[in-house]
Amino acid sequence: EGRTREPKQEPATSKQMWFIRKLLAELGWTDENGEADMERLNGFLRERFGIGHNKWLDKSKASQVIEALKAMLERQQEGVC
């Protein structure tokens, strides 16, 4: 009762999370250690997907996040050329 998540959603796979981190690095979304900036990802998730934290990503949302990040990377690369 009062739950906003649908039951039995499969969590994002480790492969999806690896790919999201890789895309973050390619976008330049890194922290001072050069690691993927997960706080920035969380802000993006809140704003674009209404998800408060990357640990709550399910497989289908992770897929949407990957597609959104790929599109952003593509636009960024087109701007550079």
Side-chain angles (χ1 to χ4, degrees), residues 9-79:
Q9 290 286 39
E10 282 193 59
T13 66
S14 56
K15 198 170 186 178
Q16 284 176 311
M17 292 310 296
W18 174 86
F19 196 47
I20 287 171
R21 284 187 178 87
K22 179 177 179 291
L23 290 167
L24 293 179
E26 289 179 28
L27 281 163
W29 292 16
T30 53
D31 61 20
E32 60 278 358
N33 300 320
E35 301 291 318
D37 187 344
M38 300 310 276
E39 286 307 310
R40 187 165 178 183
L41 172 64
N42 289 338
F44 173 74
L45 293 176
R46 274 190 295 278
E47 193 157 310
R48 287 279 298 272
F49 295 92
I51 298 171
H53 195 280
N54 66 79
K55 69 181 174 191
W56 297 321
L57 276 175
D58 61 38
K59 276 174 100 168
S60 102
K61 278 282 186 269
S63 218
Q64 292 172 26
V65 170
I66 288 168
E67 290 310 312
L69 293 173
K70 281 167 46 179
M72 288 168 63
L73 186 60
E74 207 169 278
R75 286 194 300 274
Q76 189 182 76
Q77 289 168 341
E78 285 169 3

